Amino acid sequence: MKPKILLVNPPIYDFAAYDFWLKPYGMLRVAGKLNPFSDLYLFDFLDRRNPDFAAGALLKEDKWGRGQFPSRRIEKPAPLKDIPRYYNRFGINQDSFLKFLDKHGPFHFALIQTSLTYWYPGVQEVIQTLRKHTPHTQIILGGFYAACCQQHAQTLGADLVISNNNLDQLWQILGFPPPEEEYHPPYWQGYPQPEKGIMTLTEGCPFQCSYCYQPLTGKPFRPRPLRDCIADYEHLAHLGAKNIAFYDDALLVRPEETLLPFLDYGISRPYGIAFHTPNALHARLLTPQIAEKMARAGFQTFYLGFESSSDAFQKETGGKVLSADLAEAVRALTRAGIRTSQITAYILLGHPKGDLQQVEQSMHFVHSLGIRIMLADFSPIPGTPDGELCRQYTDLSEPLNHNKTAFPIRLLGKEKVNYFKELCRQMNSGLPDKPI
């Protein structure tokens, strides 16, 4: 008899949340390995195509499949009482989850995806619900929060917290032998209408950015096998996906191994799928050849990691990209026919080295290139060099204090944060929408 395994992507508790191609990709990849040996049941609190969203009404979304989550205002938790913003629960209501448990349960195991560290109240809600309504189910946590804040995650009441993607622990508790290293597609069929999907062409990241958790994992960078990436693409295309977002941390590194041949394949098999890069591309590596092929393959949104126009700040935080690199990347994209409205540069807001970073000057530089600005609110990650600098401002032992809305306000003050946000809005509103 196959074990029944419940897969859960929890609701979000936060000041703000937006469906920026959010999917529990790590859990779906693991579920793909389990699929031949288990009966799987997926409940995604953030599935905007679930009919239980908004009392059965399909929520509005933009042409690329992004949109608002329904929300309910709730009381702020004690560590965030000082933040002058409304706090919300985002996602499908709990009654729908209870009906799902009654219909499909009980389950032998429940795998819960964790994401941002300060979103753990949603994980806690799911654990408490499962303990009450299916008490014999063994609960397993995996993902970023489980790895980054393992000691804290162990206080939530799960049976297993997977550390650093060590799946040997998972196979042991499930009683399975480790799956052979053959290809298993992510479990996208768990969604009745998977109109958007996630892919990666690489794993890990070779850079050592001082604000990023990736260097702490010890996971080496490598491009994935081309045949597996093509199989992922075909799987999503045949299920009806219209948008695919790449979750790579270093998509453009060693492009000759997987990226360029994948782009050639996409050009030769045009399914009409729009590709997106929300995890930020390394502008220094975006050559005219890559830009031209990405445009031909169907990439529609380009997010470039920039962080600051200050050379001193860039050198202190990893030296990933300088101003000239960003300008060259924009030229390569626009010469490939990409419109300026399709290009966005991320700039960190609320970094503890903000004076060195020169936020306003950085915004003016990006604006001068004719592309959009996105302020990426800084979230301090414990253990990273820049995260550790933030201990003088907040208690990092409480993951709620990692909140990206809260920390910039505590560091800069509400008025200064609002000033930068309004300046960003004004700069973006006046941009032309054309190649330059």
Side-chain angles (χ1 to χ4, degrees), residues 29 165 200-208 212-215 217-224 247-254 279 282:
R29 288 187 69 177
N165 294 316
T200 57
L201 303 185
T202 63
E203 294 180 349
C205 182
F207 295 94
Q208 299 289 317
C212 181
Y213 184 76
Q214 184 65 241
T217 67
K219 186 175 184 179
F221 171 81
R222 70 176 183 91
R224 293 180 61 211
Y247 272 15
D248 300 72
D249 290 315
L251 181 64
L252 304 185
V253 174
R254 289 160 51 183
N279 273 27
H282 294 75

Side-chain angles (χ1 to χ4, degrees), residues 40-180:
L40 301 178
Y41 299 83
L42 172 65
F43 191 91
D44 186 346
F45 279 90
L46 305 178
D47 179 13
R48 298 178 67 256
R49 292 200 167 267
N50 187 306
D52 287 335
F53 259 58
L58 184 63
L59 295 178
K60 292 182 179 179
E61 58 185 25
D62 69 13
K63 62 181 179 178
W64 304 132
R66 299 169 295 187
Q68 297 286 343
F69 291 119
S71 62
R72 173 173 56 86
R73 190 175 301 170
I74 58 175
E75 184 178 355
K76 281 182 283 192
L80 298 174
K81 290 289 189 184
D82 62 312
I83 304 303
R85 298 285 190 270
Y86 292 122
Y87 199 70
N88 301 278
R89 180 194 181 278
F90 298 88
I92 297 173
N93 62 54
Q94 197 174 53
D95 288 344
S96 297
F97 185 45
L98 294 176
K99 292 176 183 177
F100 185 90
L101 295 178
D102 289 339
K103 180 178 180 180
H104 299 290
F107 302 94
H108 296 97
F109 303 97
L111 274 59
I112 303 177
Q113 169 87 38
T114 74
S115 182
L116 302 180
T117 57
Y118 50 89
W119 283 355
Y120 78 82
V123 178
Q124 192 171 36
E125 174 194 306
V126 173
I127 292 175
Q128 291 173 348
T129 302
L130 291 176
R131 288 298 185 218
K132 182 177 180 181
H133 293 275
T134 178
H136 299 296
T137 299
Q138 294 192 68
I139 300 173
I140 303 163
L141 303 186
F144 178 63
Y145 161 70
C148 180
C149 300
Q150 187 175 23
Q151 289 186 336
H152 189 276
Q154 288 171 341
T155 68
L156 300 190
D159 296 287
L160 174 65
V161 178
I162 296 175
S163 60
N164 288 328
N165 294 316
N166 181 5
L167 295 183
D168 289 342
Q169 306 167 82
L170 177 62
W171 311 135
Q172 185 174 3
I173 196 172
L174 294 178
F176 293 166
E180 297 180 4

Side-chain angles (χ1 to χ4, degrees), residues 219-291:
K219 186 175 184 179
F221 171 81
R222 70 176 183 91
R224 293 180 61 211
L226 176 62
R227 64 181 181 276
D228 293 355
C229 299
I230 289 175
D232 283 353
Y233 174 53
E234 291 286 348
H235 184 55
L236 282 167
H238 289 302
L239 289 173
K242 302 300 182 187
N243 292 278
I244 294 177
F246 287 82
Y247 272 15
D248 300 72
D249 290 315
L251 181 64
L252 304 185
V253 174
R254 289 160 51 183
E256 68 283 352
E257 295 183 43
T258 299
L259 174 61
L260 289 174
F262 177 83
L263 294 176
D264 288 336
Y265 184 85
I267 292 168
S268 69
R269 299 291 295 272
Y271 289 116
I273 296 175
F275 295 139
H276 310 278
T277 62
N279 273 27
L281 299 170
H282 294 75
R284 182 179 297 170
L285 304 179
L286 188 54
T287 65
Q289 178 197 21
I290 293 175

Side-chain angles (χ1 to χ4, degrees), residues 11-25:
I12 294 172
Y13 285 63
D14 203 347
F15 296 102
Y18 187 77
D19 187 4
F20 204 65
W21 303 293
L22 283 177
K23 288 295 179 187
Y25 181 59

